[in-house]
Every structure is written in C-alpha cells, then in structure tokens.
Amino acid sequence: STFVSQAANDGFVIESTEISEVGSMANALAGFVYIGDFMSDKQIKGFLSFDTSGLPDGAIVTGAQIQMRYQGSTGTNPFTTHGALLVDIANPYFGTGASLVAADFQAVFSASNVATCGSTPVASWYTCNVTAGLGFFNNTGTTQFRLGFTLTDNDDLGPDFARLYSSNYPTASY
C-alpha cells in the first residue's frame, strides 16, 4: 500500500531554546517539513502524519519506507553535518491529537529509532527504511512520525535546516 501524508498534520516544530527539548512554535502550513536547527541553534523536528486506516484488518506490517522529496536547505544541509536522521513513531499520534502543536516536539512516542535513513538523496528523494516499531502502525486511523537528527545543532548560532516537500505543497507529485 502507498499512503500520502496528511497535509493538515504535517509540518515542523522549533525548540524554545537551545537544549531545552521543549517545543515553542509549530507550523503545519508551510508546504515544507523542516529538519535541522534554527537561529540560536534551536532544534527543528519534522512531523509526517498518515491515515493508515487503509491497511486491512489484522494486517501485520513487515516493512515500510518513508520517502521525502528534498527541496533545498538553508545554511549547511544537516544531512551532511548533524549525524543520522532519527525517526520516532506514534500510534495514533504524538500528544493529544493529530493536529501539530508545539508540545509534539517532546511528546511521548510509541517507539523510537524505528528507521534507517539515507544521508544522500537519490533523484531528490530521501528514503527511510522502517525496520522497527512496525507493530505501531495503526490500521484504524492515524500513524505519525517525528524526524530529528542525532546532533541537535552544530553550534554555529545560524540556521542549518533541510526543506522537504510536505503534502501542503501545491505540486502533489512532490
């Protein structure tokens, strides 16, 4: 099955202050998912939300891929400086609802480090192979993913983030 992320619930959350591990601003309207760090080395975590209710009843997910189209970066591309991309999964969502809010930054997950992601795009696409936490796919509703790097920032006090197309972007194929 192929699922396209839910535009209204995709986006990013910026950390309140460097190393606080608390979100301060959520954006689900940008048309892009940002990941990396922002001004003053505040971490940016990306969020992807999928309606996985199309999975058959009783389905056992044995593997999955998350594919994200790269648009560009500001500052240094964090895929080259911020270590591995970490992916958390939540069933049904991070926090108290499917809508993206600042508290999703630090919200409890169902499983962490569920995917291995390539650090180089192939034909402008990054691919993450989901190999853990497969039992947390929700076959009756929403499954969400949170994206962040092992190195939360590179201590240059400037923005260093990648832009990945969101389902909010007007060109659906992106």
Side-chain angles (χ1 to χ4, degrees):
S1 297
T2 299
F3 300 96
V4 176
S5 63
Q6 298 173 310
N9 301 322
D10 287 353
F12 60 92
V13 178
I14 300 174
E15 189 176 28
S16 60
T17 60
E18 183 183 13
I19 70 171
S20 70
E21 291 295 325
V22 174
S24 69
M25 184 194 89
N27 186 325
L29 302 174
F32 299 102
V33 173
Y34 295 178
I35 49 176
D37 70 66
F38 197 59
M39 303 295 277
S40 303
D41 291 334
K42 299 174 188 176
Q43 186 180 178
I44 306 172
K45 292 184 180 181
F47 291 81
L48 297 171
S49 184
F50 297 89
D51 176 3
T52 50
S53 63
L55 291 169
D57 291 342
I60 298 172
V61 177
T62 59
Q65 285 187 332
I66 301 169
Q67 295 180 318
M68 305 164 292
R69 186 175 174 105
Y70 178 70
Q71 189 277 332
S73 59
T74 296
T76 303
N77 182 346
F79 280 97
T80 65
T81 58
H82 286 52
L85 183 63
L86 304 176
V87 180
D88 300 333
I89 189 171
N91 173 348
Y93 35 74
F94 295 97
T96 59
S99 297
L100 187 63
V101 297
D104 291 344
F105 186 95
Q106 69 271 8
V108 175
F109 46 77
S110 299
S112 66
N113 301 326
V114 300
T116 303
C117 304
S119 60
T120 304
V122 175
S124 297
W125 289 88
Y126 284 101
T127 299
C128 299
N129 292 307
V130 182
T131 56
L134 296 168
F136 292 107
F137 276 79
N138 184 357
N139 67 353
T140 61
T142 302
T143 302
Q144 289 186 330
F145 295 93
R146 179 172 53 201
L147 314 167
F149 290 99
T150 53
L151 182 63
T152 60
D153 67 80
N154 62 353
D155 287 326
D156 69 353
L157 299 177
D160 301 291
F161 57 87
R163 289 181 303 280
L164 307 169
Y165 287 105
S166 166
S167 290
N168 286 335
Y169 195 75
T171 305
S173 63
Y174 290 178

